[in-house]
Amino acid sequence: MTLLDGKQTAESIKEEIRQELDIITQKGYRKPHLVAILVGNDGASRTYVDSKERNSIALGFNSTVLRLAEETTQDELITIVNNYNNNNDIDGIIVQSPLPKHIDEKLITQTIDPNKDVDGFHDINMGKLAKGDEGFVSATPLGIMMMLKAYNIQTTGKHCVVVGRSNIVGRPMSLLMSSNTEFGNATVTLCHSRTINISDYTKQADILIVALGKPGFITSDMVKPGAVVIDVGITRIDDASRKSGFYLKGDVDFESVKEVASYLTPVPGGVGLMTIAALLSNTFKAYKLHLGL
Ligand code: GUN
């Protein structure tokens, strides 16, 4: 089994961006600028946003993180997003979900300028993805495509089973794997919480991508020998013995599946790091588009 190393792969993607950016800024252009908006105090969201900020700065991007109170109104948030939409110095805008219940998340997603929608959640970008047109693709599925490419994992004509149909991961993932592209062209089955006898499908997968949010759900008996297994799950499990008070567990039972898979992503150190690299790549793409580069 070969470990799909998210740390190393993400680093090499970031290094490519860094080198290209160096050349651009040496010509006198400004740096890319990503804005992340966080509303409320969700612990996991705070961690994600902090990580996005750290990684943006480390790459030489400008980063603004707007940390707003839980009580922020929907109208206030819309005004803030529109101000960033109209600000030519801003390339990418992300509004971290989940948002407080009094704010309509769909409406906020649609408020972001599609050309600054580096999360790829806007209907225009989702529509482009569905039709095979160029746009912004959600960072986790994009990061997984980058991982397949980095390891030169052949997908054409293979059977890819995606478990989970979320708008952020499973649905766009199934579109990318079936798209007419070098690391697409797979035959795709999309399984979800209502699939009957799910292991009947997972056992047929040459490439198994799991984004269900159920820790340890995929065990070795559900995996075809030699399959490529991508674990998107990242659940916090309480553990008082750790300083953080938790550890991270994927949707794949790593210990048993590592005995049958040909390639496997670890958790942590796999898909999560690729998500960040893909977000930075989207921001860099938005930046070049805005500057006409
Ligand atoms: N919440 C969980 N994942 C994401 C993500 O990729 N982007 C945003 N904006 N919120 C999230």
Side-chain angles (χ1 to χ4, degrees):
M1 186 275 294
T2 302
L3 212 55
L4 293 168
D5 184 340
K7 188 157 193 269
Q8 196 193 325
T9 313
E11 279 309 320
S12 71
I13 287 163
K14 289 192 278 184
E15 188 50 37
E16 271 177 36
I17 296 173
R18 193 176 284 120
Q19 287 180 14
E20 201 182 330
L21 178 59
D22 267 354
I23 295 168
I24 295 171
T25 51
Q26 275 163 22
K27 290 179 185 159
Y29 290 100
R30 65 166 177 81
K31 295 172 171 186
H33 194 158
L34 174 66
V35 173
I37 304 171
L38 177 65
V39 187
N41 293 311
D42 181 67
S45 291
R46 282 212 322 245
T47 310
Y48 291 142
V49 168
D50 288 350
S51 171
K52 288 168 188 176
E53 181 179 34
R54 243 192 348 267
N55 277 274
S56 296
I57 291 168
L59 198 49
F61 289 9
N62 286 324
S63 169
T64 297
V65 176
L66 202 59
R67 294 179 175 84
L68 300 173
E70 180 85 18
E71 300 75 35
T72 305
T73 67
Q74 180 170 290
D75 283 350
E76 282 167 341
L77 186 55
I78 289 174
T79 302
I80 288 166
V81 170
N82 276 326
N83 282 337
Y84 287 127
N85 283 342
N86 297 327
N87 183 339
N88 284 333
D89 289 332
I90 302 298
D91 302 297
I93 304 167
I94 56 180
V95 179
Q96 188 68 28
S97 62
L99 287 171
K101 294 215 164 27
H102 64 276
I103 298 178
D104 179 348
E105 206 159 291
K106 280 191 180 173
L107 180 65
I108 299 301
T109 300
Q110 297 314 108
T111 304
I112 297 173
D113 178 346
N115 294 314
K116 298 191 178 189
D117 171 38
V118 289
D119 260 332
F121 296 170
H122 194 287
D123 288 359
I124 287 189
N125 285 313
M126 286 288 278
K128 285 182 173 174
L129 174 63
K131 295 176 96 174
D133 291 337
E134 186 68 29
F136 289 101
V137 175
S138 176
T140 298
L142 180 62
I144 291 169
M145 297 307 283
M146 289 171 160
M147 180 85 104
L148 295 173
K149 184 174 179 204
Y151 282 83
N152 196 27
I153 291 170
Q154 298 303 307
T155 54
T156 297
K158 301 280 176 65
H159 186 194
C160 176
V161 175
V162 178
V163 182
R165 58 180 162 186
S166 72
N167 285 331
I168 295 184
V169 185
R171 182 82 58 195
M173 195 74 241
S174 68
L175 292 167
L176 286 166
M177 292 309 297
S178 61
S179 68
N180 187 1
T181 57
E182 190 181 357
F183 293 92
N185 282 323
T187 301
V188 176
T189 301
L190 183 56
C191 297
H192 46 76
S193 55
R194 306 298 283 267
T195 300
I196 296 166
N197 293 334
I198 200 162
S199 66
D200 286 353
Y201 301 94
T202 60
K203 275 192 282 199
Q204 292 180 42
D206 301 308
I207 301 151
L208 179 60
I209 303 175
V210 193
L212 202 61
K214 287 190 180 176
F217 181 78
I218 298 286
T219 46
S220 59
D221 55 308
M222 299 168 78
V223 177
K224 178 169 152 177
V228 176
V229 181
I230 310 280
D231 187 354
V232 185
I234 180 167
T235 304
R236 289 180 173 202
I237 310 279
D238 289 339
D239 182 353
S241 74
R242 302 197 186 212
K243 207 171 111 200
S244 62
F246 66 88
Y247 68 96
L248 298 175
K249 189 165 170 54
D251 290 348
V252 174
D253 178 38
F254 187 88
E255 285 309 312
S256 73
V257 172
K258 78 174 199 279
E259 303 299 331
V260 292
S262 60
Y263 290 90
L264 178 58
T265 58
V267 177
V271 170
L273 300 173
M274 295 305 297
T275 297
I276 300 265
L279 174 69
L280 296 169
S281 172
N282 275 345
T283 305
F284 191 47
K285 173 173 156 172
Y287 161 76
K288 288 189 286 183
L289 275 171
H290 297 151
L291 293 186
L293 296 167

